[in-house]
Amino acid sequence: MAHALIFDSGVGGLTVSAEIRKALPELQQTYAADDVFRPYGDKTDIQLKARLPELLWTLCEATQVDLAVIACNTASTAALTEIRAALDIPVIGVVPAVKPASLKTRSGQFAVLGTPGTIRRDYVENLIKDFANDKEVVLQGSTRLVALAEDKLAGRPVDMAALSHEVAPLFSNVDVDTVVLACTHFPLLKDELAAAAPPDVLWIDSGEAIARRTVSVVKEIEGSRPTRDEPDLALLMGPNDDAARRDAFSNYGFGRVVGLMPG
Ligand code: DGL
């Protein structure tokens, strides 16, 4: 039996969970949303490195999972090495899809839309150096879009004026034809982003790539067979009296939704 922890600051990891569920329908998933510390995108590396290894260790000990998926670009680019060092199980992180975007752009110009934390990290700079050295890359950070994705899954209307304001700078250069969604919250807003962008823009996220990686890691775990013993569990850390948001987790396949610090 294999059991995976899916971790994010909020609902963003659901986009990764859904891809993993498609690829491994029988894999037991436990989701943890660090609602109390969101948004990660405006936290420093020091803050994230101080919080995440210990938090992930505690969650993995409590849930006895076989592998952990850090379904968050901000956490992965800031603290993956430290999280891996703290855990003795395989840890899969998210890599912003710079390489696929570099291969797919027709104009030679693409954008990376992430949190402010992610886009300023060396990790992203190195991906661009390694895989998109000959391309023009626009970097755009937004924490507002994280809040808008949370709104959407909590059943609140998405403020399209605010969303357009965040997206407009991506296309100040008209030749940008491809956008990397380098935050797992952003694919939740794909329709709204497409409505606010020029037609025919290609949006690329890392969900399927993480699912493929998860398939191969599960295969490598000795004796593991993906079979679900119990309904999948979502642990929401923080005050969680929002019924619509809890329903969103149920709709993504989490049969049990538990608030760890009910407000
Ligand atoms: N979902 C997270 C990511 O992929 C970040 C959201 C946040 O800023 O908390 O970067």
Side-chain angles (χ1 to χ4, degrees):
M1 200 234 358
H3 178 187
L5 179 78
I6 315 291
F7 178 82
D8 183 41
S9 64
V11 295
L14 288 173
T15 60
V16 174
S17 158
E19 292 297 338
I20 294 174
R21 199 179 289 288
K22 261 195 244 161
L24 291 170
E26 296 307 320
L27 176 70
Q28 175 117 30
Q29 294 190 20
T30 293
Y31 192 106
D34 188 8
D35 292 324
V36 277
F37 209 59
R38 191 182 60 252
Y40 282 4
D42 66 4
K43 305 296 188 295
T44 64
D45 286 31
I46 292 172
Q47 285 175 299
L48 294 172
K49 283 183 211 269
R51 180 176 182 82
L52 294 176
E54 196 176 323
L55 176 58
L56 265 301
W57 183 86
T58 306
L59 288 167
C60 291
E61 278 297 298
T63 54
Q64 289 294 300
V65 288
D66 306 298
L67 69 151
V69 179
I70 311 304
C72 173
N73 291 262
T74 313
S76 298
T77 54
L80 195 59
T81 307
E82 291 76 7
I83 294 169
R84 286 204 166 117
L87 303 181
D88 57 5
I89 54 173
V91 179
I92 298 170
V94 188
V95 178
V98 167
K99 186 178 175 186
S102 181
L103 294 171
K104 289 201 168 136
T105 173
R106 289 143 292 153
S107 65
Q109 303 188 12
F110 67 90
V112 178
L113 179 61
T115 65
T118 294
I119 58 139
R120 68 161 184 265
R121 295 225 160 81
D122 293 350
Y123 194 103
V124 170
E125 195 184 317
N126 290 336
L127 282 174
I128 293 170
K129 263 193 219 141
D130 290 347
F131 300 113
N133 212 7
D134 55 340
K135 305 291 186 314
E136 209 171 297
V137 185
V138 176
L139 296 173
Q140 169 79 4
S142 172
T143 43
R144 188 78 177 95
L145 289 174
V146 173
L148 295 179
E150 291 285 338
D151 281 346
K152 182 173 178 181
L153 263 66
R156 292 186 287 272
V158 174
D159 179 341
M160 283 303 287
L163 182 136
S164 299
H165 182 263
E166 299 298 298
V167 168
L170 297 177
F171 304 106
S172 54
N173 184 337
V174 288
D175 284 333
V176 166
D177 62 358
T178 303
V179 179
V180 177
L181 297 177
C183 169
T184 54
H185 276 74
F186 298 169
L188 296 167
L189 296 170
K190 236 177 187 167
D191 292 345
E192 291 81 359
L193 290 168
D200 301 328
V201 168
L202 183 64
W203 306 87
I204 305 183
D205 65 67
S206 310
E208 279 181 30
I210 302 169
R212 280 195 300 275
R213 179 78 194 119
T214 306
V215 169
S216 67
V217 168
V218 166
K219 264 192 210 141
E220 283 162 20
I221 295 172
E222 186 122 7
S224 87
R225 220 166 27 88
T227 49
R228 182 181 290 94
D229 289 341
E230 316 170 43
D232 286 344
L233 168 68
L235 300 170
L236 310 184
M237 293 178 263
N240 286 289
D241 44 12
D242 192 332
R245 190 169 184 269
R246 295 169 73 103
D247 286 349
F249 281 90
S250 309
N251 294 337
Y252 272 83
F254 291 89
R256 295 174 294 160
V257 185
V258 174
L260 289 184
M261 293 163 53

